[in-house]
Amino acid sequence: MLGNLVDNAIHYTPTGGTVDVEVAIQNGHACLIVNDTGPGIPVDERERVFDRFYRREASGVPGSGLGLAIVRKIAERHRASVELSAGAEGRGLRASVLFTSK
């Protein structure tokens, strides 16, 4: 799961950009966060990118469209949820995995 999130962040972040990985506690639960300074994902596509084989048009990055589908499936097996949002200062993408159950 972490490998796919970091791999996506690296592939979509342009040269000179950054990818940060953070582990935190949010509302008493463990949270894994991957932030990047790539192009991000428009709000209206953030749920769709979890569909198997879905590829954003004109992404320019090779792949099968399975990475985020795999991330969500692994998260579900660990009783966690995955949320995508804008990165820091509205740039890039923030992928958060919140583990809510023990």
Side-chain angles (χ1 to χ4, degrees), residues 18-100:
T18 61
V19 174
D20 296 311
V21 178
E22 176 184 348
V23 177
I25 299 294
Q26 292 185 355
N27 300 320
H29 299 286
C31 187
L32 172 66
I33 302 161
V34 178
N35 281 299
D36 68 55
T37 56
I41 298 173
V43 173
D44 61 335
E45 287 190 63
R46 288 187 188 153
E47 189 58 34
R48 184 77 200 277
V49 295
F50 290 106
D51 293 344
R52 290 181 307 158
F53 305 111
Y54 179 76
R55 302 266 309 139
R56 291 193 59 232
E57 298 225 6
S59 70
V61 176
S64 64
L66 288 173
L68 289 175
I70 292 169
V71 166
R72 177 167 273 171
K73 188 56 84 175
I74 292 170
E76 289 171 351
R77 294 212 174 184
H78 291 279
R79 297 185 183 109
S81 60
V82 182
E83 179 181 306
L84 302 177
S85 58
E89 300 174 16
R91 293 181 44 212
L93 186 71
R94 175 184 176 102
S96 303
V97 182
L98 183 64
F99 296 86
T100 56

